[in-house]
Amino acid sequence: KQEVTQIPAALSVPEGENLVLNCSFTDSAIYNLQWFRQDPGKGLTSLLLIQSSQREQTSGRLNASLDKSSGRSTLYIAASQPGDSATYLCAVPNQAGTALIFGKGTTLSVSS
Amino acid sequence: DAGVIQSPRHEVTEMGQEVTLRCKPISGHNSLFWYRQTMMRGLELLIYFNNNVPIDDSGMPEDRFSAKMPNASFSTLKIQPSEPRDSAVYFCASSLTKDTEAFFGQGTRLTVV
């Protein structure tokens, strides 16, 4: 059964720092991985989708990498800003492709 | 497109009452998902529809929960009778196909007292 783990559970950094969020999954037979952002009391906003054939995907200050063989993905945030404060979730499809399996998320706080 | 639209945003109801949550997926998306989010268990799938047909309902907790998708632009999740342990945030999500990017609604925060 697929399990997704995100470490750390919480992270506090000063504005301007570059940071890395980690996601690991137990079953490497995935066809994509998706990173989301969730603000308190809000829904999930899709940030990046990486297909299994890709190694990286970039959007603005965000860069996500995927290493299927080791069961890991990282989300790199460059030059962090207070507006980046949120919970970041990674998710992979289940074996049947009928659902996303989510990690518990990393709650990021960026102070000005 | 306005994205995935859910209603109501908040619902407070008494134990034993029927609750209906609504979802309008993004136009043209063939896949629709209902998820539930709690502090203890995080986000978990309740049910998945493809082209309006329920494909995977393995996450539906018990017979008190039912979901329908009468057409491509509307889905409901019903809880009857509701219980305090059903209190959670319920999300609807849609995607073009099951393999593509999923887009989530703002969620319905349900409180059963």
Side-chain angles (χ1 to χ4, degrees), chain A residues 31-32 34 36 38 41-49 51 89 93-94 96-104, chain B residues 9 33 35 37 39-45 48 55-56 91 98-107 109:
Chain A
Y31 51 82
N32 63 40
Q34 197 165 354
F36 294 88
Q38 186 174 26
K42 304 286 188 184
L44 280 69
T45 300
S46 177
L47 297 174
L48 291 163
L49 173 77
Q51 299 293 349
L89 297 145
N94 64 2
T98 57
L100 289 175
I101 309 297
F102 284 86
K104 292 289 179 68
Chain B
R9 290 294 312 277
F33 308 83
Y35 287 89
Q37 185 177 39
M39 289 291 290
M40 287 294 293
R41 300 175 66 91
L43 271 156
E44 297 178 303
L45 177 82
Y48 160 63
I55 303 298
D56 183 352
F91 287 103
K98 66 179 177 69
D99 301 338
T100 56
E101 192 175 7
F103 295 88
F104 280 69
Q106 292 293 294
R109 181 172 295 275

Side-chain angles (χ1 to χ4, degrees), chain B residues 2-23:
Chain B
V4 177
I5 299 173
Q6 292 187 246
S7 64
R9 290 294 312 277
H10 302 273
E11 176 81 41
V12 180
T13 191
E14 290 185 347
M15 183 173 65
Q17 295 297 306
E18 176 180 296
V19 176
T20 299
L21 311 182
R22 296 171 176 79
C23 173

Side-chain angles (χ1 to χ4, degrees), chain A residues 49-64:
Chain A
L49 173 77
I50 315 177
Q51 299 293 349
S52 61
S53 56
Q54 297 175 307
R55 287 254 178 189
E56 285 189 1
Q57 190 71 260
T58 298
S59 175
R61 294 182 294 109
L62 305 179
N63 176 276

Side-chain angles (χ1 to χ4, degrees), chain B:
Chain B
D1 200 315
V4 177
I5 299 173
Q6 292 187 246
S7 64
R9 290 294 312 277
H10 302 273
E11 176 81 41
V12 180
T13 191
E14 290 185 347
M15 183 173 65
Q17 295 297 306
E18 176 180 296
V19 176
T20 299
L21 311 182
R22 296 171 176 79
C23 173
K24 182 181 186 311
I26 293 173
S27 177
H29 281 191
N30 294 329
S31 293
L32 183 138
F33 308 83
W34 283 99
Y35 287 89
R36 180 168 66 177
Q37 185 177 39
T38 61
M39 289 291 290
M40 287 294 293
R41 300 175 66 91
L43 271 156
E44 297 178 303
L45 177 82
L46 295 174
I47 188 167
Y48 160 63
F49 289 89
N50 181 253
N51 290 323
N52 313 338
V53 177
I55 303 298
D56 183 352
D57 64 355
S58 58
M60 296 288 263
E62 46 200 276
D63 292 346
R64 297 185 297 106
F65 285 68
S66 62
K68 293 182 180 179
M69 192 163 185
N71 57 61
S73 58
F74 185 65
S75 177
T76 60
L77 178 68
K78 185 178 293 187
I79 308 173
Q80 165 66 8
S82 58
E83 296 182 2
R85 61 191 166 120
D86 301 331
S87 298
V89 182
Y90 291 81
F91 287 103
C92 176
S94 72
S95 59
L96 202 58
T97 70
K98 66 179 177 69
D99 301 338
T100 56
E101 192 175 7
F103 295 88
F104 280 69
Q106 292 293 294
T108 295
R109 181 172 295 275
L110 173 65
T111 303
V112 184
V113 298

Side-chain angles (χ1 to χ4, degrees), chain A residues 37-112:
Chain A
R37 167 185 172 141
Q38 186 174 26
D39 292 282
K42 304 286 188 184
L44 280 69
T45 300
S46 177
L47 297 174
L48 291 163
L49 173 77
I50 315 177
Q51 299 293 349
S52 61
S53 56
Q54 297 175 307
R55 287 254 178 189
E56 285 189 1
Q57 190 71 260
T58 298
S59 175
R61 294 182 294 109
L62 305 179
N63 176 276
S65 67
L66 174 62
D67 184 344
K68 273 187 59 177
S69 60
S70 67
R72 293 176 190 234
S73 176
T74 61
L75 180 66
Y76 175 82
I77 303 177
S80 58
Q81 303 171 356
D84 295 331
S85 298
T87 296
Y88 292 80
L89 297 145
C90 72
V92 297
N94 64 2
Q95 202 166 40
T98 57
L100 289 175
I101 309 297
F102 284 86
K104 292 289 179 68
T106 294
T107 298
L108 173 66
S109 176
V110 181
S111 55
S112 56

